[in-house]
Amino acid sequence: PHGERDQIRKSLANNLSAGRIGDSFDDDTLRRAFAYNTEHPGFVKILMGLTWRVFHDWLGIVSHATGYRLASILLVSLGAVFTYLFGARLFHRGVGALAVGMLLLCPHVFYHSHLACFDGPIMGLGIATTYGFWRSLSCRRWIFWSAIFLGLALATKHNAVFVPATLLLAYLFARWREFRIQDGRLQIPNLPASLFVMAIVGPLLLYTFYPFGWHDLGRLVDYYRFHAQ
């Protein structure tokens, strides 16, 4: 209910001004704010609340519904940008533009790109993670960004866990000639540093954007168990 959300917001503002910021992050407050939808992490939900607050409530330039939908639109747009960069870097700008057009003309992509839901954002962040991983193979600064994108993807929807496994398999498949048996032991290609950074940064960002689990890590386990079953 809007009244309860406003109460939480006012409580945060009051506690901040009174120097009791910790009171707004106790388990009871976090349960009131996040327990109604434990099957999704908080990143996109928080972002939707932020775009609604700024563009509808404060600026008044979009409708009530569009205020929430803007977060999804922005993350789908992020995916479109990296789709273009993929095509442009691999081939040329025309291929990048064609790739974006074909992506956005997919019926499910077009439909979900307009909704305040998680399907468009996880697609956009999945594309961004894949692009970041690919660039990290030749540019070290992308190691950090690929890990950030994966962490935000994990903090968006559960199926992000398949992204690093898919990238690892694709990398090993591309390097299959480097597999060999030497002295009775299997030699495999050196793994990219970005995968190790992802393994650290990803869970940290997931925990950061899953406030319902801050006081009880078992709730994060329950979140994955919910989807596994």
Side-chain angles (χ1 to χ4, degrees), residues 99-223:
V100 173
M102 295 177 70
L103 174 68
L104 297 180
L105 285 174
C106 293
H108 278 89
V109 174
F110 181 81
Y111 173 67
H112 285 282
S113 297
H114 297 78
L115 302 181
C117 66
F118 304 89
D119 301 278
I122 191 59
M123 181 203 72
L125 288 167
I127 295 171
T129 304
T130 304
Y131 180 85
F133 173 79
W134 176 59
R135 290 298 310 278
S136 74
L137 301 178
S138 57
C139 181
R140 294 185 63 85
R141 68 184 179 193
W142 280 95
I143 294 175
F144 173 76
W145 285 110
S146 64
I148 292 293
F149 288 139
L150 176 67
L152 295 179
L154 289 170
T156 295
K157 202 173 181 187
H158 64 281
N159 46 0
V161 298
F162 297 107
V163 173
T166 304
L167 296 176
L168 173 61
L169 289 174
Y171 176 82
L172 293 177
F173 181 77
R175 301 295 184 92
W176 67 272
R177 291 185 179 87
E178 298 178 29
F179 284 86
R180 60 178 58 88
I181 296 178
Q182 186 174 357
D183 299 327
R185 300 178 61 182
L186 177 65
Q187 304 291 324
I188 66 173
N190 292 327
L191 297 181
S194 53
L195 291 175
F196 297 97
V197 180
M198 285 179 181
I200 298 172
V201 175
L204 287 176
L205 283 178
L206 170 63
Y207 177 76
T208 299
F209 286 107
Y210 197 80
F212 184 64
W214 284 356
H215 296 277
D216 185 357
L217 284 176
R219 294 172 182 169
L220 264 172
V221 176
D222 291 339
Y223 154 62

Side-chain angles (χ1 to χ4, degrees), residues 37-144:
N37 179 239
T38 60
E39 62 268 27
H40 292 101
F43 172 62
V44 172
K45 292 185 284 188
I46 294 170
L47 190 59
M48 287 177 179
L50 180 62
T51 56
W52 177 87
R53 180 68 66 190
V54 172
F55 295 99
H56 171 74
D57 191 35
W58 291 349
L59 300 179
I61 59 177
V62 299
S63 68
H64 176 81
T66 300
Y68 289 111
R69 287 161 36 202
L70 269 178
S72 179
I73 292 170
L74 290 172
L75 291 174
V76 170
S77 300
L78 180 73
V81 167
F82 284 112
T83 298
Y84 170 80
L85 291 175
F86 245 135
R89 280 191 165 268
L90 282 171
F91 301 100
H92 53 77
R93 294 178 180 179
V95 172
L98 178 63
V100 173
M102 295 177 70
L103 174 68
L104 297 180
L105 285 174
C106 293
H108 278 89
V109 174
F110 181 81
Y111 173 67
H112 285 282
S113 297
H114 297 78
L115 302 181
C117 66
F118 304 89
D119 301 278
I122 191 59
M123 181 203 72
L125 288 167
I127 295 171
T129 304
T130 304
Y131 180 85
F133 173 79
W134 176 59
R135 290 298 310 278
S136 74
L137 301 178
S138 57
C139 181
R140 294 185 63 85
R141 68 184 179 193
W142 280 95
I143 294 175
F144 173 76

